[in-house]
Amino acid sequence: MACSSLTPFTMSIQPTYHGAPAWVAKKLGFFEEICLDATLPVYRSGAPQVMEISTWSIGSAGSPPNIQGWNKGVLVTAGINNDESVANALVANADGIASWDSIVAAGTLGDTKITVPPTSTAELVVEACLKKYNISFDPLNNFDYNSTNIGVLASLSDPDGSNFGGLWAPAMYSAIETWGEESVICNGADAGAHVVGGIMVSNEADVETAALGIAAYLKGITYFKSNPEQSKAYVNEYYEEQGFPPLSPAAMELEFTRPLYNLVEQQEMLAKNAAGVSTLGSWFQETVDFMFGEGVIPSQLNAEDYIDDKFMKWIAANETLAKWTMTLEETAPVSPGVSPPVPMPTPDVGTPESPTPDTPPAMEAPSSGNYRSLTVPIGFVLAVLNYMFI
């Protein structure tokens, strides 16, 4: 059935793995199949993306921008865009690899330095990895803060730099290609630290249009799951279109170890237990607690208050639309014909103490997650998150 007209629709994305399914959905016409004329502005980081939320209905970003949007009272999270725990890691150069066993045996970092982007998902994972190995540390004495992934990688490559660092993709892939797979001492998944991203929905978005946009994005994810080899080619095409070099085959294989979630899996992630906590909520809460502890957000938010399952329920309520998101051969319904659920009240978060900066710094991409990229004095937080995530 042909659409009588297309509804203008904007989804903000980043030049990252979790943004690629939306790009593919547009390339293959999935948005048009459900009568959406999609525009996909690409942001290098999460801060400007959230700052310009008045220009888009839904977006894909790492957990920090999602949480910063909660803190500003401008969005809810409708689902998970990927699990990037394996793409954030404590890594080592050749000297670091050789010294790691002795550090574990000593149970302390001593004078060893680890270079990390401040208040980032990489720092969160580094701390979790050190705790996993029962290694005592003092961030003020043991962490050298560098504002970017590239800066951390440069430190690892410098004979006078650190032998250890906290990295996320793609710089993590560069470390592996330089020093081998053993350079990844421990990643987030190893340490039980969940680093995820979310599907953001503006509080001003039309519920039905936002849900349809999410449905097209989910069909893009179905395409990735059904056609991994072609999807890898599309990912590199997307990255190159944004001005970044393609990933090597080995790096791309690692990129595709990051789980994506279709409609059924989204519902499983959003399902709450007897205590009223969902898996996605518990994973986001880890990042909330870390951000609050570092002073990036002024209050310890409850993640469940900002995760809204009505959009996935809206899609699932129409059998034809739901099936369309899960398959590649089905024709989409032009009009799902399901009344939108009542919107979830947005908690009153007050005026945030740390607003997103008006001129966020640029950062390298594609990446997995960066809370901020300003160089700051050790132990102090002077800027809010500027990404994911990747």
Side-chain angles (χ1 to χ4, degrees), residues 205-218:
D206 175 76
V207 173
E208 179 175 351
T209 303
L212 288 173
I214 292 171
Y217 178 67
L218 294 179

Side-chain angles (χ1 to χ4, degrees), residues 173-263:
Y173 304 149
S174 297
I176 293 172
E177 291 176 357
T178 302
W179 298 292
E181 293 184 3
E182 62 270 26
S183 65
V184 177
I185 300 297
C186 167
N187 62 38
D190 297 330
H194 299 101
V195 182
V196 300
I199 302 169
M200 307 179 293
V201 181
S202 166
N203 289 343
E204 302 302 318
D206 175 76
V207 173
E208 179 175 351
T209 303
L212 288 173
I214 292 171
Y217 178 67
L218 294 179
K219 191 172 181 74
I221 288 173
T222 294
Y223 185 89
F224 267 54
K225 289 175 174 286
S226 302
N227 299 279
E229 294 309 312
Q230 182 58 52
S231 296
K232 290 171 186 175
Y234 281 150
V235 167
N236 267 341
E237 183 181 343
Y238 172 49
Y239 289 170
E240 290 183 271
E241 183 181 281
Q242 299 304 317
F244 302 107
L247 296 181
S248 68
M252 187 64 76
E253 288 299 321
L254 289 170
E255 191 85 321
F256 270 67
T257 63
R258 295 158 60 173
L260 299 172
Y261 297 79
N262 61 27
L263 177 60

Side-chain angles (χ1 to χ4, degrees), residues 9-314:
F9 166 80
T10 303
M11 177 177 182
S12 64
I13 58 176
Q14 298 180 4
T16 61
Y17 177 62
H18 59 70
W23 184 88
V24 169
K26 181 173 175 62
K27 182 181 181 69
L28 299 182
F30 297 159
F31 289 102
E32 287 80 359
E33 285 188 38
I34 47 177
C35 305
L36 295 179
D37 179 14
T39 300
L40 305 178
V42 182
Y43 292 83
R44 297 294 177 90
S45 61
Q49 188 177 5
V50 173
M51 186 166 60
E52 296 183 9
I53 193 170
S54 63
T55 65
W56 48 265
S57 296
I58 71 173
S60 179
S63 52
N66 276 259
I67 295 166
Q68 193 64 18
W70 302 349
N71 184 57
K72 293 168 69 70
V74 296
L75 62 82
V76 294
T77 296
I80 183 172
N81 60 22
N82 85 130
D83 181 348
E84 52 202 40
S85 304
V86 297
N88 286 256
L90 168 63
V91 302
N93 60 20
D95 289 339
I97 294 169
S99 66
W100 177 248
D101 286 345
S102 62
I103 291 173
V104 173
T108 179
L109 283 180
D111 295 330
T112 300
K113 299 290 187 180
I114 300 177
T115 303
V116 295
T119 322
S120 64
T121 52
E123 183 180 5
L124 182 155
V125 168
V126 166
E127 291 186 5
C129 285
L130 294 173
K131 292 173 183 176
K132 167 184 167 64
Y133 285 96
N134 296 313
I135 297 171
S136 64
F137 64 96
D138 177 4
L140 289 175
N141 295 319
N142 294 123
F143 291 176
D144 281 337
Y145 289 102
N146 192 294
S147 61
T148 68
N149 238 353
I150 296 301
V152 174
L153 189 61
S155 177
L156 290 169
S157 303
D158 185 345
D160 296 324
S162 300
N163 292 329
F164 296 91
L167 289 174
W168 59 85
M172 189 189 82
Y173 304 149
S174 297
I176 293 172
E177 291 176 357
T178 302
W179 298 292
E181 293 184 3
E182 62 270 26
S183 65
V184 177
I185 300 297
C186 167
N187 62 38
D190 297 330
H194 299 101
V195 182
V196 300
I199 302 169
M200 307 179 293
V201 181
S202 166
N203 289 343
E204 302 302 318
D206 175 76
V207 173
E208 179 175 351
T209 303
L212 288 173
I214 292 171
Y217 178 67
L218 294 179
K219 191 172 181 74
I221 288 173
T222 294
Y223 185 89
F224 267 54
K225 289 175 174 286
S226 302
N227 299 279
E229 294 309 312
Q230 182 58 52
S231 296
K232 290 171 186 175
Y234 281 150
V235 167
N236 267 341
E237 183 181 343
Y238 172 49
Y239 289 170
E240 290 183 271
E241 183 181 281
Q242 299 304 317
F244 302 107
L247 296 181
S248 68
M252 187 64 76
E253 288 299 321
L254 289 170
E255 191 85 321
F256 270 67
T257 63
R258 295 158 60 173
L260 299 172
Y261 297 79
N262 61 27
L263 177 60
V264 171
E265 292 162 337
Q266 294 282 349
Q267 292 176 289
E268 291 171 349
M269 290 293 295
L270 292 166
K272 296 181 179 181
N273 60 22
V277 178
S278 65
T279 299
L280 184 58
S282 67
W283 289 1
F284 260 94
Q285 194 65 48
E286 293 179 27
T287 308
V288 167
D289 294 345
F290 179 75
M291 290 170 62
F292 175 69
E294 294 291 325
V296 179
I297 54 175
S299 58
Q300 195 165 17
L301 307 174
N302 177 14
E304 291 295 346
D305 291 339
Y306 303 91
I307 296 176
D308 193 344
D309 64 359
K310 71 171 177 283
F311 301 95
M312 297 300 172
K313 286 183 175 179
W314 191 93

Side-chain angles (χ1 to χ4, degrees), residues 44-45 47-48 147 357 359-364 370 372-374 383-384 386:
R44 297 294 177 90
S45 61
S147 61
T359 309
M363 61 172 290
E364 73 279 3
N370 177 14
R372 63 181 184 184
S373 64
L374 298 177
V384 297
N386 99 358

